[in-house]
Structure formats: C-alpha cells, structure tokens
Amino acid sequence: MAYKDEQLHEEKVFKDPVHRYVHVKDRVIWDLIAAPEFQRLRRIKQLGTSNYTFHGAEHSRFNHSLGVYEIVRRIIYNFQDRPHWNKNERLLALCAALLHDLGHGPFSHSFEKAFKLDHEQFTQAIIMGETQVHKILERVEKGFAQKVADVIAKTYEDKLVVSLISSQIDADRMDYLQRDAYFTGVSYGHFDMERILRVMRPTEDQVVIKSTGMHAVEDYIMSRYQMYWQVYFHPVTRSAEVILSRILDRAKYLYETGDFAFKLEPTHFISFFEGKVKLEEYLKLDEMVVHYYFHLWQEEDDAILRDLCERFMNRRLFKYIEFNPNSQMNEWMELHALFEQAGIDPKYYLVVDSSSDLPYDFYRPGEEEERLPIHLLMPDKSLKELSRHSDIVEAISGKKRTDHKLYFPTDKLDEIVDEPVKERIYEILYGQGEIEDVD
Ligand code: CA
C-alpha cells in the first residue's frame, strides 16, 4: 500500500479538553506528530506571557495544532459527499492544518519584533528544509511538501482548501478561541462550534455558511471580539511582554558593544543578535531555553539586564496609564527628559505599547490585509456577505480599535532622590488619570 493511503492498525486518540478526542488514523499524520520539529511545539506556549495574567494559560502550540487538525478533520468528514469538495485534497488539508504554526518561535510576537523575524517564513523553511517533517511529506508523493507549504502560505490553487485554515471563520480561529477560553478560564470565547460545523458548505473557492446558522456565527464573531480585548490585549499580559522585549533589546545591545563579558556565554542567542538565524539554530531556541538564560541573567553584572530579568522571573511588572504619544507629544518628551535626569533609562523603563484589532471586515480589495469576508448561503442559493444580513456584525464591521498604554516601574520612580524631578514625573503621570496596578 502506498504510504499516503496507509492507515494505522487501529485509530489513535489524543484526549483533548476542548474537543474531547483528537482522532488519528492516517500513518502520515501519526508520523508528523512524532517528528522532532512538531514535538518542539510542546515547548512553545500558545499565549506567550498571558499566564502572568491568567495562570491557567500554560497550554502549548502543540495542543492547538492538534486541535486545528481535529476541526479540519471533522469539516472534511461533513464535506465528503458534497459537490465542490475534492476528495484527493483530504490528506493535504489535514497536513496543512496540523503544521500551520510549525514555525512559531518562543514568545512569538516579542521575539519576532526584537529580532525582525517572521514565523511564517520559518514554517515554510521547516516544511521545505532538511527536516523530518519534510522527509515524511515527500514520502506521500514528490512535491507534496511544497503543496502543504502553499496551502499555509495561502497561495495554493484550490482556495477552498486554503479557506479551511485561513479565513475569517477557519479551523485555526475556532480552535484558539475555545482553547484559550478554556485554559484562561474566562467566560468569553465560547460558541457553538458543532452548529457551525453542521452549517458549513463547500463552494468552488471558499467555505460558506448556510443562512440558518447565522446566529451561531454572530456568536463566534462576538467571542473573538471579546477575547481580543479581555484576554489577548490584557494590559497585564502586555506589561510582561514589554519587559520581555526590553530584556531581548538589552542583551542584544550588550552583545553588540563587544566589551561586555556575559558570565554565561549567550550561545543560543548569538545568531539572533547578529541577525542571521539559520533554521537549525532557530529550532534550538524554545521557551525552556529562553527561561534558562533569563534565570541566569538575573546574576549578570549589567544592572538593567539583571533588573529586567528579575522582574520577568518574579512577575514584578510595570504599571501603566492610558497614554497616546501621538496626541501627547509634549508630556511624552518631558517624561523622557525627566527619566534621563533621574538616571532611569527611558529606553527600558518608559515604554508605549499599542494594540489594535479589527473584529470582522468585509472585502476591501487592495488594502494592506485583504480579508475574505464570510458569506451566507441563502435559501435561493445566492451568497450574501455576513455584515449585510446581520445587524450585530454590521455594528462592529470594519471598525479598527487601537489602544495605547504607557508602561513604567513605580518602584523605581519612588527611589528617585531628586524630589522636584520625582514630583514632576508623578504630576504628569497622574495628570493622565489613575495609575493602574498590575497585581
Ligand atoms: Ca494558529
């Protein structure tokens, strides 16, 4: 029997708190899960620093990837006898679902920013490089790895397959919303996925939703909206992220000065500091390794690196106020100068962080991020864009919300000996409103 058709002697199941079970019957999927590049995802948390806010949020990209695979498996099961679904794409869709996040690095977002990396490029590199994953995919058929890479990069010709994993209602989002809600313990993020799966229909170029399922989709969009502001952009999570990114900046700066002697040679970071990360080095740096370094850097000779790592390891986070540097340029400049005067480096201790989200969007060709809208399949077989039919979705469509916050450590400000400087700093900060605690 050809490898691609090979089935396990008996179905394997993974117990999963969100989907109850993840079912695996294909030998290819089983082998991919066992590959070291996929096992590595156990050591990358799905939500980065969110566990500083919601202590349950320790789940990994491994859990999430299995979940996305399971949802796609169920969608395809429902599609199997419907028109437009090409049965030959089954294994391709399953592999792409399983591997879609393969290139995520430790604390994805902060790392990508600090070292100008792109996890999508690494996903492509792992699938196409000299890896176990690549070998397994090529055993299916020659050129199969490239097809999987194309589905994930959204360039694959069969757009229906692409839309299962990347669209405004895809298996990726449906898994992470429920999974992140489950592990954080919040009450947002839940919606009736079973119902959505039952009303999904394949068309030539995308998945659409039978109009009778519209309310379940509204619920899904609202949960996404809530999750972004209540969980993903939580100010405390962002405070930890601000510190994390400043640690990376500081370590890189010290390395670049050339005359700082680290007590522990930062071997795993060097290619990141130098901006020439090879795949092999990328795969070696997971969150376990990063934590190991941060732990030891608490004893380095540099006071800033030591302090930031100590804060990160022990959750001594920065406090914050609402602050938009674009409209408050004068206050921003004055704070900067005062921090410098007080000997507190504003580069590391006075940080603006901005978050923004677009909960749902209709199609705007040519825009920065073209988003394929969700379409409803009406009783007369015509397609109607969701926000034209749903008042709730229309109310939040295309509305981008941005939120700016200014982070700083009050414990350091309290230690300033120059009283007039300290007073003026607090005067400006309090002038913006309440200083928010992060405990
Ligand atoms: Ca994902």
Side-chain angles (χ1 to χ4, degrees), residues 131-150:
T131 57
Q132 287 295 326
V133 162
H134 180 76
K135 281 191 197 119
I136 294 164
L137 294 174
E138 286 299 286
R139 274 185 70 194
V140 172
E141 65 184 35
K142 207 173 167 304
F144 190 69
Q146 185 64 59
K147 282 189 183 179
V148 173
D150 289 347

Side-chain angles (χ1 to χ4, degrees), residues 135-407:
K135 281 191 197 119
I136 294 164
L137 294 174
E138 286 299 286
R139 274 185 70 194
V140 172
E141 65 184 35
K142 207 173 167 304
F144 190 69
Q146 185 64 59
K147 282 189 183 179
V148 173
D150 289 347
V151 173
I152 295 171
K154 303 177 221 171
T155 53
Y156 189 61
E157 56 192 348
D158 188 337
K159 297 299 177 212
L160 174 59
V161 176
V162 173
S163 78
L164 293 176
I165 300 150
S166 326
S167 68
Q168 294 195 74
I169 185 156
D170 60 20
D172 183 22
R173 291 178 183 199
M174 285 198 281
D175 184 79
Y176 74 63
L177 290 175
Q178 297 179 88
R179 191 168 301 279
D180 298 344
Y182 177 88
F183 282 99
T184 52
V186 300
S187 57
Y188 336 95
H190 301 285
F191 57 93
D192 190 351
M193 186 179 78
E194 298 305 320
R195 174 100 183 107
I196 292 179
L197 295 188
R198 265 199 300 277
V199 293
M200 280 184 150
R201 294 287 178 273
T203 67
E204 201 181 323
D205 56 359
Q206 61 170 310
V207 175
V208 300
I209 308 287
K210 229 178 119 184
S211 62
T212 50
M214 184 180 79
H215 298 297
V217 176
E218 286 178 339
D219 204 22
Y220 153 85
I221 298 221
M222 292 313 287
S223 34
R224 183 177 178 283
Y225 175 79
Q226 305 269 22
M227 284 296 281
Y228 267 80
W229 292 103
Q230 304 294 338
V231 174
Y232 304 136
F233 297 156
H234 194 288
V236 174
T237 304
R238 283 158 65 188
S239 179
E241 213 169 87
V242 160
I243 295 173
L244 169 68
S245 71
R246 289 321 180 263
I247 294 175
L248 302 175
D249 287 352
R250 185 65 182 177
K252 180 167 185 259
Y253 165 82
L254 292 172
Y255 177 79
E256 283 171 345
T257 60
D259 54 9
F260 181 77
F262 284 89
K263 287 182 186 164
L264 168 77
E265 183 69 9
T267 323
H268 293 82
F269 279 93
I270 289 174
S271 63
F272 289 80
F273 292 156
E274 293 181 348
K276 37 189 180 197
V277 187
K278 292 202 201 76
L279 181 56
E280 191 192 337
E281 296 153 336
Y282 187 79
L283 291 172
K284 279 186 189 158
L285 194 70
D286 56 42
E287 284 173 16
M288 303 287 171
V289 179
V290 172
H291 268 126
Y292 171 71
Y293 277 93
F294 286 9
H295 187 67
L296 293 176
W297 285 350
Q298 293 177 94
E299 279 152 49
E300 283 292 350
D301 287 333
D302 180 69
I304 294 180
L305 183 64
R306 200 169 59 221
D307 174 65
L308 292 173
C309 287
E310 203 263 318
R311 285 174 185 280
F312 191 77
M313 296 304 288
N314 299 307
R315 199 192 178 277
R316 280 204 301 120
L317 305 179
F318 291 179
K319 297 190 179 182
Y320 66 94
I321 52 170
E322 302 290 331
F323 187 88
N324 184 349
N326 304 317
S327 58
Q328 290 161 289
M329 197 46 108
N330 292 339
E331 289 88 343
W332 172 239
M333 307 254 287
E334 196 186 344
L335 277 174
H336 234 260
L338 288 164
F339 267 61
E340 267 172 0
Q341 218 178 318
I344 304 175
D345 193 337
K347 219 162 67 209
Y348 303 100
Y349 292 106
L350 185 68
V351 183
V352 171
D353 183 71
S354 306
S355 294
S356 59
D357 179 47
L358 186 58
Y360 171 77
D361 207 7
F362 37 85
Y363 188 48
R364 304 160 191 255
E367 293 232 332
E368 200 181 328
E369 202 192 345
E370 287 182 16
R371 294 172 167 218
L372 195 65
I374 298 172
H375 281 102
L376 297 175
L377 178 63
M378 307 308 287
D380 66 359
K381 303 280 176 236
S382 67
L383 293 182
K384 199 162 177 183
E385 192 271 311
L386 176 65
S387 69
R388 288 173 196 275
H389 203 58
S390 159
D391 295 336
I392 292 178
V393 174
E394 198 210 353
I396 57 166
S397 281
K399 294 203 179 92
K400 190 169 181 170
R401 181 176 143 196
T402 307
D403 165 80
H404 308 276
K405 290 187 176 4
L406 179 65
Y407 288 88

Side-chain angles (χ1 to χ4, degrees), residues 64 100-101 172:
H64 164 64
H100 79 284
D101 270 350
D172 183 22

Side-chain angles (χ1 to χ4, degrees), residues 31-65:
D31 290 350
L32 285 172
I33 293 170
E37 300 87 18
F38 190 79
Q39 289 290 318
R40 166 186 162 273
L41 296 178
R42 289 181 186 272
R43 302 185 297 274
I44 309 273
K45 284 199 298 297
Q46 173 72 6
L47 288 183
T49 57
S50 285
N51 64 326
Y52 281 104
T53 314
F54 303 98
H55 66 259
E58 297 277 352
H59 56 304
S60 70
R61 298 233 170 235
F62 181 90
N63 309 25
H64 164 64
S65 299

